[in-house]
Amino acid sequence: MQLDLTQLVLPRHVENALSERQRSEERLRTFSADASHELRTPVASVRGHAELALLHRGPVPPEVTHALERIVAQSGRMGAMVDDLLLLANARRHTPPGTEVTASLTALDHDVE
C-alpha cells in the first residue's frame, strides 16, 4: 500500500492545530486568573472607601450620598463578577483539555440601573 503526501501531512496538521488550541486555552485560563486576581484588591478598595465616606457624620448632600451608595452597590457587583471569573478560571484549570466547563449565568440576570 502506498501512502500519498496528504496522508502523511494531514495528521501532523491536525496534531499541530490541537496543540495550538490547548496552548491558547491555557493562555486564556492564565489571563483570566491573573486579571481576576489583580482586580480584586482595587475593587475592594473602591468599595471600602465609599463605605467609609458614607459613615461621615457631617452634612452630606443627598446626591453625594446617592452616588456613594451606587458606588458601593456597583463595586460589590463588580467584586462578585471578579470572584466568578476567578472561580471559572480555576475550574477550567482543573479539567482535562477540550472538556467544556458549564456555568450558570442566572446570577448576571439582575437589574442594572
Side-chain angles (χ1 to χ4, degrees), residues 76-113:
R77 191 169 162 266
M78 287 172 56
M81 286 190 279
V82 167
D83 289 344
D84 290 346
L85 181 62
L86 183 59
L87 182 67
L88 185 59
N90 286 334
R92 291 205 56 133
R93 181 167 282 146
H94 300 293
T95 57
T99 303
E100 287 190 31
V101 174
T102 58
S104 172
L105 298 179
T106 57
L108 299 177
D109 185 29
H110 39 108
D111 277 343
V112 177
E113 291 183 35

Side-chain angles (χ1 to χ4, degrees), residues 41-64:
T41 300
V43 169
S45 178
V46 166
R47 184 174 183 177
H49 285 293
E51 288 173 344
L52 183 61
L54 283 170
L55 296 175
H56 180 71
R57 295 185 188 267
V60 178
E63 55 274 357
V64 172

Side-chain angles (χ1 to χ4, degrees), residues 10-41:
L10 187 59
R12 207 170 315 136
H13 283 299
V14 170
E15 183 180 328
N16 290 342
L18 290 173
S19 294
E20 180 55 35
R21 178 180 175 191
Q22 187 175 354
R23 286 190 300 273
S24 178
E25 287 179 1
E26 183 56 35
R27 284 191 304 268
L28 180 60
R29 280 191 291 273
T30 300
F31 172 78
S32 297
D34 290 349
S36 59
H37 181 72
E38 291 298 322
L39 286 170
R40 288 178 109 181
T41 300

